[in-house]
């Protein structure tokens, strides 16, 4: 039997981990002790249910329920002074918890503080768009939809943005294969020439140093030159070509001093 | 797919809508003033843009996916390929994010060198902007002059790290090299030269030029509330009268010790942004001049001392067994940062460049998100271009200063 390999996360894994290695955790501080973030958390708490809140590396991280995301962002914008939404994206935790983590990176320009609103959704759930509040979500949510396949409700124009419209799969998922993706490797051939042309065109060469032994269109051997596109599968004759001295001289054995200036 | 015949001929880029008499024109992705691989679908009423749809993704290389499959040090040279006009600012943004995650700080000399490299990169990028902006609008000679000075700045980078475009001049925890001899002298000479050239060449050719002003003034208006809503940063934000520069507001590296001003324009138009770029170059030379004497009273250490994460200096690796073992583990397995998440924003020449790293304690980042300023500026084009005229479309694309390496990632 073949060895079972988990399919949930096919990304590169560390080949060796010390069994006594204990992973440290970035310090998490309580929000209540911070004089800037504490009142804001209180405002947010009055509006939506807070699942978790902490401060990591100078930024507040607040987790809310996914259905409250619009309301939370609205509160942050109108009452806490977060005037810019710098970034929206997701993290794939499907293999561990069957969930996506979606984060909204917010910036308060007046006091130069940043916070991150986090929510988690199940695999086939959709999230509400915050595009009516921040137009920057237009592109950011489209990118999230494209690369993770997360549907966004009430987005004005939810369409793939980076990958082609007819692409299969969502590249940033942990299940997306790194090598051996049949669809991806034949995408151009299938689209331009049709599936029947696969055999005639052949797989794409991804090795820039590849030399094909019997291809006389693109390669030739020194001392064994043959006419263009000649068939050499049965061996090639030795060609009598007078080479200049510099091409074939073996500098390791030759006693000749080529450069007279020395 | 169109079926051309004699009655409806096929025009490669054009399509006429019968109902409302608008014309749909396809701009790019191989248009010389599209600044890379930008495809714009414009719906025109006469010469006026009524609808714009930026289509991106032609330069997508999956950088974020690559980051999840590379160790932290392996990924650093890949960040060069984001904003390839100013590579060091990407290297630095990434290195700073990882350093924040690890909780280490670069030694003082490395900080001086890094800040200098960042400012030289800002000058390189801004010169490139002035050159291409002028070229798009039709001022060919400015392009030649600006590229001349840009070559000198790139020579400085080459003297420092050996590369002109993809520098990789910053490492996680410091810098790889000390500065070569005479470098400071050359930096000072470059600053003098640049200040002089800004005054006698670029500003003399452009600032009061009638044609330049006609093409730029009141073109590409970005109201402040739209700039905030669409996530515009950098000169796009400061061109709308909002004085937010991350170097001042959330200072990193040596910026809190340096004396410099943040140019702001309240005209909201392309001309104001052009003035900001010129003024920022002057401020960069001012910063560089202040940094030169700061270098002298620093210790020679270049990389932070954190044996768990960062290899020891070469002499120690070659002489001490334990340092060699650590180095071997760090090269073959990669460093394992603590579990946690970090978002660090730096002021790249184009705007806010942010790196979000989610670490699960493995040598590979669990998720790395690059917040590229140009991505949001490209998104804003669909609003910015509306109501503009076809000749101004080129100006408006150019004034956002987008680079497709970081739009598509």
């Amino acid at each position: 039997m073949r060895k079972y390999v988990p399919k949930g996360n096919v990304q590169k894994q560390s080949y060796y981990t010390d069994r006594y290695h204990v992973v440290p955790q970035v310090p998490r501080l309580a929000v209540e002790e911070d004089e800037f973030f504490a009142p804001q958390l209180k405002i947010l708490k009055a509006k939506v249910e807070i699942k978790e809140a902490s401060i990591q590396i100078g930024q507040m991280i607040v987790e809310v329920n996914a259905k409250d995301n619009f309301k939370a962002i609205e509160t942050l914008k109108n009452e806490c002074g977060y005037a810019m939404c710098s970034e929206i994206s997701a993290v794939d935790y499907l293999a561990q918890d069957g969930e996506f983590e979606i984060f909204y990176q917010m910036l308060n320009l007046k006091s130069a503080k940043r916070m991150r609103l986090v929510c988690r959704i199940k695999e086939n759930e959709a999230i509400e768009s915050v595009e009516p509040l921040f137009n920057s979500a237009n592109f950011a949510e489209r990118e999230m939809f494209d690369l993770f396949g997360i549907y966004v409700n009430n987005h004005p124009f939810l369409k793939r943005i980076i990958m082609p419209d007819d692409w299969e799969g969502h590249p940033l998922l942990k299940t997306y294969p790194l090598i051996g993706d049949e669809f991806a490797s034949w995408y151009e051939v299938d689209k331009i020439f049709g599936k029947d042309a696969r055999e005639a065109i052949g797989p794409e060469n991804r090795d820039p140093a590849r030399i094909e032994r019997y291809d006389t269109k693109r390669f030739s051997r020194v001392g064994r030159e043959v006419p263009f596109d000649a068939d050499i599968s049965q061996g090639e004759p030795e060609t009598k070509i007078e080479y200049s001295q510099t091409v074939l001289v073996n500098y390791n054995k030759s006693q000749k001093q080529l450069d007279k200036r020395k | 797919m169109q079926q051309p015949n004699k009655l409806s001929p096929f025009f490669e880029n054009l399509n006429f809508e019968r109902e409302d008499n608008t014309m749909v024109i396809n701009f790019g992705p191989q248009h010389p003033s599209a600044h890379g691989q930008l495809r714009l679908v414009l719906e025109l009423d006469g010469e006026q843009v009524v609808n714009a749809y930026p289509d991106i993704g032609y330069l997508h290389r999956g950088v974020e996916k690559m980051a999840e499959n590379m160790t932290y040090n392996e990924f650093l040279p890949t960040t060069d390929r984001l904003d390839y006009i100013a590579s060091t600012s990407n290297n630095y943004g990434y290195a700073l994010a990882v350093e924040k995650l690890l909780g280490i700080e670069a030694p003082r000399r490395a900080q001086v060198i890094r800040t200098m490299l960042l400012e030289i990169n800002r000058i390189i990028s801004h010169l490139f902007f002035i050159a291409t902006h002028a070229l798009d609008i039709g001022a060919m000679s400015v392009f030649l002059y600006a590229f001349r000075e840009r070559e000198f700045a790139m020579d400085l980078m080459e003297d420092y790290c050996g590369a002109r475009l993809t520098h990789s001049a910053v490492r996680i925890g410091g810098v790889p090299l000390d500065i070569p001899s005479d470098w400071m002298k050359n930096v000072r000479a470059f600053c003098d030269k640049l200040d002089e050239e800004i005054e006698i060449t670029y500003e003399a050719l452009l600032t009061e030029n009638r044609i330049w002003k006609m093409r730029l003034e009141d073109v590409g208006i970005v109201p402040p509330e739209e700039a905030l809503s669409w996530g515009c940063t950098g000169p796009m934000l400061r061109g709308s009268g909002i004085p937010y520069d991350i170097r001042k507001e959330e200072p990193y590296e040596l910026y809190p010790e340096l004396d410099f001003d943040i140019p702001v324009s309240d005209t909201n138009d392309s001309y104001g942004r052009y003035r900001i770029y010129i003024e920022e170059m002057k401020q960069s030379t001012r910063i560089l001049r202040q940094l030169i004497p700061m270098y002298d009273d620093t210790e020679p250490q270049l990389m932070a001392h954190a044996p768990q994460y960062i290899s020891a200096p070469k002499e120690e690796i070659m002489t001490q067994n334990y340092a060699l073992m650590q180095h071997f583990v760090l090269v073959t397995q990669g460093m394992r940062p603590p579990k946690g998440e970090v978002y660090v924003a730096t002021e790249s020449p184009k705007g806010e460049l942010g790196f979000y790293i989610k670490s699960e304690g493995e040598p590979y980042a669990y998720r790395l998100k690059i917040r590229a300023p140009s991505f949001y500026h490209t998104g804003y084009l669909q609003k910015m271009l509306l109501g503009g005229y076809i000749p101004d479309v080129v100006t408006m694309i150019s004034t956002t200063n987008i680079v497709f390496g970081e739009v598509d990632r």
Side-chain angles (χ1 to χ4, degrees):
Chain A
M1 252 177 67
R2 246 180 297 171
K3 197 183 157 198
Y4 176 73
V5 188
K7 310 281 190 304
N9 185 352
V10 294
Q11 309 305 302
K12 203 168 173 187
Q13 304 294 329
S14 180
Y15 74 93
Y16 174 76
T17 303
D18 181 14
R19 21 181 199 156
Y20 301 109
H21 178 66
V22 179
V23 181
Q25 164 75 41
V26 168
R28 281 187 188 179
L29 311 174
V31 181
E32 285 71 30
E33 286 160 25
D34 191 280
E35 56 184 41
F36 179 79
F37 288 122
Q40 299 191 340
L41 188 66
K42 207 171 267 175
I43 296 171
L44 207 55
K45 226 171 211 167
K47 295 272 176 173
V48 294
E49 186 194 338
I50 307 283
K51 287 168 87 177
E52 206 184 331
S54 65
I55 293 180
Q56 273 187 46
I57 316 184
Q59 296 180 13
M60 177 167 71
I61 303 168
V62 179
E63 188 176 343
V64 297
N65 289 317
K67 62 175 171 37
D68 294 333
N69 74 327
F70 189 88
K71 214 170 165 190
I73 299 279
E74 198 176 21
T75 315
L76 287 171
K77 183 187 177 184
N78 297 333
E79 294 172 38
C80 305
Y82 287 93
M84 193 188 276
C85 179
S86 320
E87 179 66 283
I88 300 170
S89 196
V91 187
D92 176 358
Y93 281 112
L94 293 180
Q96 294 92 322
D97 319 323
E99 287 177 327
F100 286 112
E101 186 180 299
I102 297 173
F103 65 87
Y104 299 82
Q105 180 71 41
M106 312 294 292
L107 166 63
N108 186 335
L109 287 103
K110 286 222 174 66
S111 41
K113 292 274 187 186
R114 290 170 195 273
M115 65 89 60
R116 193 154 49 247
L117 190 86
V118 177
C119 56
R120 282 184 164 234
I121 59 165
K122 291 263 181 267
E123 187 171 5
N124 292 319
E125 283 176 355
I127 188 106
E128 182 67 23
S129 171
V130 297
E131 210 269 348
L133 300 169
F134 291 103
N135 292 120
S136 58
N138 187 320
F139 257 36
E141 284 173 349
R142 270 179 76 185
E143 194 196 348
M144 184 170 80
F145 164 69
D146 185 358
L147 301 180
F148 287 96
I150 299 171
Y151 277 87
V152 184
N153 288 335
N154 299 327
H155 188 282
F157 189 54
L158 194 65
K159 184 174 173 288
R160 297 199 90 141
I161 185 168
I162 283 172
M163 304 304 286
D165 291 340
D166 54 353
W167 194 261
E168 279 177 18
H170 301 282
L172 277 179
L173 293 178
K174 294 282 179 189
T175 47
Y176 194 82
L178 295 177
I179 48 166
D181 186 352
E182 172 90 1
F183 172 80
S185 54
W186 292 104
Y187 177 74
E188 279 99 347
V189 172
D190 286 358
K191 197 165 180 191
I192 299 168
F193 302 103
K195 270 194 174 155
D196 302 338
R198 279 188 185 188
E199 213 157 290
I201 293 168
E204 188 192 359
N205 172 28
R206 304 296 294 259
D207 177 7
R210 185 185 164 91
I211 293 171
E212 300 216 2
R213 175 67 181 80
Y214 298 112
D215 181 359
T216 53
K217 276 182 182 166
R218 290 176 294 161
F219 304 104
S220 64
R221 292 169 73 199
V222 172
R224 302 266 177 181
E225 280 83 353
V226 290
F228 182 76
D229 202 16
D231 180 22
I232 55 164
S233 53
Q234 307 304 318
E236 66 266 68
E238 197 162 329
T239 35
K240 295 272 174 281
I241 297 176
E242 295 284 328
Y243 289 100
S244 69
Q245 282 277 306
T246 47
V247 176
L248 287 180
V249 68
N250 186 341
Y251 290 103
N252 295 332
K253 289 177 186 167
S254 157
Q255 297 296 314
K256 258 195 299 187
Q257 181 87 35
L258 287 175
D259 194 349
K260 292 268 162 39
R261 284 169 298 180
K262 281 187 177 172
Chain B
M1 188 68 198
Q2 298 184 47
Q3 298 296 334
N5 56 43
K6 274 187 182 168
L7 288 174
S8 63
F10 173 63
F11 297 103
E12 195 183 356
N13 264 339
L14 302 180
N15 180 27
F16 293 92
E17 296 285 335
R18 289 281 163 83
E19 292 80 29
D20 50 0
N21 202 23
T22 56
M23 180 167 68
V24 178
I25 179 169
N26 186 28
F27 179 101
Q30 302 290 355
H31 193 280
S33 59
H35 283 233
Q37 306 289 329
L38 169 67
R39 176 169 169 246
L40 267 178
V41 181
L42 301 170
E43 195 181 334
L44 303 175
D45 179 14
E47 273 203 71
Q48 204 166 23
V49 180
V50 291
N51 229 332
Y53 163 67
D55 185 12
I56 61 171
Y58 291 90
L59 201 60
H60 178 58
R61 296 147 296 173
V63 170
E64 286 166 14
K65 185 75 172 173
M66 285 160 81
E68 290 175 17
N69 293 287
M70 282 175 167
T71 62
Y72 287 88
N73 275 321
E74 265 179 332
F75 180 63
L76 195 122
T78 316
T79 58
D80 281 338
R81 276 83 182 162
L82 294 171
D83 172 8
Y84 41 77
I85 306 299
S87 311
T88 308
S89 57
N90 308 317
N91 302 151
Y92 178 73
Y94 173 67
L96 187 69
V98 180
E99 283 164 19
K100 284 262 172 76
L101 187 65
L102 301 175
I104 58 175
E105 200 182 340
R108 176 93 180 161
R109 178 167 288 191
Q111 288 188 339
V112 175
I113 295 174
R114 281 169 164 208
T115 318
M116 292 186 87
L117 295 179
L118 286 178
E119 289 309 314
I120 290 173
N121 268 267
R122 195 176 307 280
I123 290 171
I124 290 176
S125 173
H126 282 14
L127 281 171
F128 189 89
F129 167 78
I130 300 287
T132 51
H133 195 33
L135 191 64
D136 283 341
I137 286 162
M140 179 84 188
S141 46
V142 179
F143 165 77
L144 298 170
Y145 291 125
F147 262 54
R148 181 183 62 192
E149 268 68 61
R150 185 166 171 267
E151 285 298 306
F152 298 147
M154 276 156 68
D155 283 345
L156 287 176
M157 287 308 300
E158 190 183 3
D159 283 349
Y160 176 68
C161 66
R164 295 171 73 80
L165 202 66
T166 50
H167 306 136
S168 299
V170 170
R171 294 285 184 275
I172 296 166
V175 287
L177 303 154
D178 210 341
I179 57 165
S181 58
D182 277 358
W183 199 71
M184 288 298 187
K185 209 179 82 197
N186 294 340
V187 169
R188 201 186 289 274
F190 172 73
C191 289
D192 295 342
K193 172 84 176 150
L194 185 71
D195 279 349
E196 189 191 331
E197 287 294 334
I198 288 173
E199 200 169 316
I200 64 166
T201 312
Y202 317 135
E203 290 223 89
L205 277 172
L206 296 176
T207 307
E208 294 303 326
N209 185 328
R210 268 187 302 152
I211 305 168
W212 183 254
K213 283 181 106 167
M214 280 163 74
R215 291 296 306 275
L216 292 193
E217 277 180 343
D218 295 329
V219 170
I221 298 280
V222 185
E225 59 277 10
E226 275 186 21
L228 288 173
S229 178
W230 284 88
C232 295
T233 47
M236 286 285 279
L237 187 63
R238 296 193 285 278
S240 304
I242 300 171
Y244 197 84
D245 189 314
I246 299 171
R247 291 179 292 172
K248 268 271 193 262
E249 307 289 335
E250 302 160 68
Y252 51 93
E253 221 58 57
L254 291 181
Y255 288 116
E257 298 173 32
L258 295 164
D259 184 24
F260 62 101
D261 297 326
I262 303 300
V264 181
S265 157
D266 54 6
T267 55
N268 303 357
D269 62 356
S270 306
Y271 187 72
R273 284 192 285 278
Y274 152 74
R275 294 291 294 272
I276 286 177
Y277 277 99
I278 290 279
E279 197 55 45
E280 279 194 4
M281 284 201 286
K282 291 181 189 167
Q283 295 299 328
S284 289
T285 56
R286 193 173 151 199
I287 293 173
L288 282 172
R289 286 208 181 85
Q290 292 171 43
L291 282 164
I292 293 169
M294 282 168 122
Y295 174 83
D296 293 329
D297 41 83
T298 52
E299 299 291 315
Q301 196 194 351
L302 289 175
M303 293 287 276
H305 179 72
Q308 202 184 345
Y309 304 122
I310 289 161
S311 293
K314 202 76 180 171
E315 303 89 78
E316 278 181 36
I317 293 175
M318 291 308 190
T319 50
Q320 295 173 18
N321 195 11
Y322 193 74
L324 179 66
M325 282 157 60
Q326 279 282 7
H327 179 63
F328 181 78
V329 171
L330 286 173
V331 168
T332 53
Q333 295 179 20
M335 66 169 87
R336 288 164 199 264
K339 211 171 159 177
E341 53 187 292
V342 64
Y343 177 86
V344 174
T346 54
E347 184 76 21
S348 94
K350 313 268 185 303
E352 176 188 325
L353 177 71
F355 279 86
Y356 169 85
I357 300 177
K358 180 106 188 178
S359 158
E360 292 286 314
E362 289 290 303
Y364 308 102
Y366 193 77
R367 172 89 171 100
L368 189 139
K369 180 80 181 86
I370 301 155
R371 191 263 183 223
S374 299
F375 180 76
Y376 291 93
H377 295 165
T378 313
Y380 182 52
L381 281 178
Q382 56 191 312
K383 180 75 179 60
M384 189 188 193
L385 296 177
L386 301 189
Y389 289 90
I390 268 283
D392 295 338
V393 167
V394 171
T395 312
M396 287 192 244
I397 295 171
S398 180
T399 190
T400 52
N401 196 8
I402 45 182
V403 165
F404 273 77
E406 66 176 9
V407 174
D408 295 338
R409 280 157 285 141

